[in-house]
Amino acid sequence: KQLQSLDCISLSKEKLTFLRSDSKIDCESDDYIYFRNILFVYIFIYQSIPILWMTLLYRNKSSLDRQENQTYYDETLELYIRDNDESIDHIRFLFNDYRIKRWWFEVLEMYRRIIFIGIIPLTSTVPATRASFGIALAMVSLTFFREEKPYRDEFTNFIAYIAQIAILLTFYAAMSIETGVMMTFGLSGFGMGLFLVLCNISICFLVIMIGIYRFKKNKKKAEVIQSNAEKFEWAVSFNAEKFRTTFVSINERFVPTANVLLFHYTSSHLAKVAMRSGLSALVKFNGIPFTLHHPHQTNDNDKQVFGNQQQKQQSSSSSTSLQHEYDVEKYNNVFPNEVLLVLSLPRTLLRPLKGYENEDYLYCIQDCILSAMRSLHPSNIVDVKPWVDG
């Protein structure tokens, strides 16, 4: 509205100018000149808002993009850390929808819209010239959104790209109407306008339908992950022979030759945490301890490793500077045999357990190996916080 108040056009042969949005206002009158001078001040104030936003964003750049201080970059990890950083909540509306490296895009997007809506109408009194500027800017925007994909959500990037195509078609239609190009193809202004209306309605309908489909798909995926995370097989009534035959069958059917079947004993509470977030490294062993003994083969060393101590989980990721520790429940001198986690792992990843190097059945996956094995995307993890913390 502010910039529309500066858009004056000539409506007479005497070259008198009047406001486009209200032709009763003479742009040469003293009242309008006085109003225009005041308007310049308010335009300056309004256009300074994105600059203020950029200042706030730049002051918090170290929290918005931490890659400069890292040798390893994981965008999923960085997005999670940024989403949970309370120190930047006051400016979250400026960057929350964008990728880590595009934290500044909201400012650029604001000025892009101002140029489309406010600046292009002021570039010329000739409609075809204004349409030409619009086409040029629309092509630049189309290329940028296609190549850069500034939004963190791929679907949003797709919709933004389609929107740029619609804008380009609109300016091209305006150019065709003003220059009469359509007449050579037997098209009318009404026909072109109807085509553009149908295009925009189709885009809106497409967005709604894809949005509904994505919502149902993500909901179903979340339900599948949740159900898998809570899946336990009860073995209370298993005797020694049943355990032996079960593990022999698993070893023959599912374990590759280069792998070995390992066991990790824990409580039901910690097992549920592990099924939702993965096993965490322990400070005492600089990794995760495992044994080759199934429940009817455990000895005193197994009990010392998996029970009779208050252990702490270690944040062992070398990719971040986070070093959290979480208290794990005490076992009160009782061997934690409520749950047995069975894993198949490559032999080459295993190292003798710290403090039990002479025992050929106690092994450990060290924290450095765990960091290297971590997936870039925790897509199958219900609770990603322990995963992010290491």
Side-chain angles (χ1 to χ4, degrees):
K1 293 295 184 180
Q2 289 177 333
L3 295 176
Q4 286 180 359
S5 300
L6 300 176
D7 189 9
C8 295
I9 59 174
S10 177
L11 298 178
S12 66
K13 295 181 180 180
E14 289 78 12
K15 296 185 179 180
L16 298 176
T17 56
F18 299 89
L19 196 63
R20 181 190 297 272
S21 59
D22 188 354
S23 58
K24 294 184 296 184
I25 299 177
D26 182 4
C27 292
E28 303 296 332
S29 65
D30 294 337
D31 290 340
Y32 175 78
I33 294 175
Y34 175 75
F35 165 78
R36 185 179 61 186
N37 293 334
I38 297 177
L39 182 62
F40 281 138
V41 176
Y42 284 100
I43 290 176
F44 175 79
I45 294 174
Y46 179 74
Q47 298 304 317
S48 298
I49 293 176
I51 298 176
L52 175 62
W53 288 354
M54 187 64 189
T55 303
L56 293 173
L57 289 169
Y58 189 79
R59 290 179 60 184
N60 292 273
K61 182 181 177 182
S62 59
S63 298
L64 299 175
D65 182 8
R66 307 181 317 130
Q67 184 180 7
E68 295 182 357
N69 301 322
Q70 295 178 312
T71 57
Y72 172 80
Y73 181 69
D74 180 348
E75 186 163 6
T76 302
L77 172 65
E78 295 301 320
L79 283 172
Y80 181 85
I81 295 174
R82 192 183 73 176
D83 290 343
N84 290 273
D85 190 348
E86 297 180 355
S87 66
I88 51 178
D89 281 347
H90 62 292
I91 57 171
R92 190 169 299 280
F93 69 99
L94 295 176
F95 63 82
N96 198 50
D97 294 328
Y98 304 111
R99 293 165 48 200
I100 293 294
K101 306 304 294 183
R102 298 293 176 263
W103 52 267
W104 43 263
F105 186 73
E106 183 65 25
V107 177
L108 178 63
E109 178 67 2
M110 174 65 75
Y111 280 121
R112 188 185 71 87
R113 295 176 184 179
I114 290 174
I115 293 174
F116 268 119
I117 298 173
I119 302 299
I120 289 181
L122 301 178
T123 56
S124 175
T125 58
V126 180
T129 303
R130 295 198 298 269
S132 299
F133 283 117
I135 291 174
L137 184 59
M139 292 182 67
V140 172
S141 296
L142 179 65
T143 304
F144 178 85
F145 277 94
R146 184 191 65 187
E147 299 298 328
E148 292 298 322
K149 298 181 179 180
Y151 295 98
R152 60 191 292 179
D153 184 76
E154 285 297 326
F155 178 65
T156 306
N157 286 317
F158 171 74
I159 295 302
Y161 178 68
I162 296 299
Q164 305 315 306
I165 295 177
I167 293 173
L168 179 61
L169 289 176
T170 301
F171 279 108
Y172 181 78
M175 169 72 79
S176 301
I177 292 173
E178 291 298 328
T179 58
V181 173
M182 294 186 307
M183 301 302 179
T184 60
F185 297 97
L187 299 176
S188 64
F190 175 78
M192 180 62 74
L194 181 61
F195 170 75
L196 292 175
V197 169
L198 292 177
C199 285
N200 284 278
I201 292 177
S202 299
I203 292 173
C204 293
F205 178 76
L206 177 65
V207 170
I208 293 173
M209 294 305 297
I210 295 179
I212 294 174
Y213 169 76
R214 281 167 51 85
F215 172 77
K216 292 182 178 179
K217 181 179 179 181
N218 292 336
K219 182 179 180 182
K220 183 177 181 180
K221 181 179 179 181
E223 291 174 351
V224 171
I225 294 175
Q226 184 71 28
S227 63
N228 290 338
E230 297 177 351
K231 188 177 297 182
F232 285 89
E233 181 178 354
W234 298 102
V236 177
S237 60
F238 281 19
N239 54 29
E241 181 62 19
K242 178 63 175 177
F243 269 114
R244 188 190 68 79
T245 56
T246 299
F247 295 137
V248 168
S249 175
I250 292 175
N251 200 47
E252 292 177 349
R253 296 175 58 189
F254 303 109
V255 180
T257 306
N259 286 22
V260 62
L261 206 61
L262 297 170
F263 307 100
H264 182 90
Y265 295 90
T266 184
S267 67
S268 59
H269 167 70
L270 291 180
K272 291 180 179 179
V273 173
M275 296 294 284
R276 293 170 61 86
S277 307
L279 287 170
S280 298
L282 301 179
V283 175
K284 179 179 179 63
F285 303 113
N286 293 329
I288 302 176
F290 295 100
T291 179
L292 297 179
H293 289 166
H294 62 67
H296 292 276
Q297 295 177 326
T298 55
N299 55 26
D300 292 338
N301 288 335
D302 294 314
K303 295 178 181 180
Q304 291 177 2
V305 171
F306 297 101
N308 194 28
Q309 58 186 311
Q310 179 181 1
Q311 298 176 334
K312 292 184 178 180
Q313 294 174 322
Q314 180 186 27
S315 173
S316 57
S317 171
S318 61
S319 61
T320 73
S321 60
L322 296 178
Q323 293 296 331
H324 298 298
E325 289 188 348
Y326 304 94
D327 289 333
V328 180
E329 69 177 63
K330 296 180 180 180
Y331 296 124
N332 298 322
N333 298 323
V334 178
F335 182 57
N337 59 354
E338 291 180 321
V339 176
L340 168 63
L341 299 179
V342 185
L343 302 90
S344 171
L345 295 172
R347 299 174 185 271
T348 55
L349 298 181
L350 301 178
R351 298 293 182 272
L353 188 64
K354 182 180 179 181
Y356 299 88
E357 289 81 359
N358 295 328
E359 307 296 340
D360 60 356
Y361 55 86
L362 288 173
Y363 294 95
C364 172
I365 293 187
Q366 297 177 341
D367 50 8
C368 59
I369 298 177
L370 292 171
S371 298
M373 290 174 60
R374 292 200 323 160
S375 170
L376 292 179
H377 302 284
S379 56
N380 295 322
I381 299 177
V382 178
D383 179 15
V384 300
K385 187 178 188 305
W387 181 91
V388 169
D389 293 341

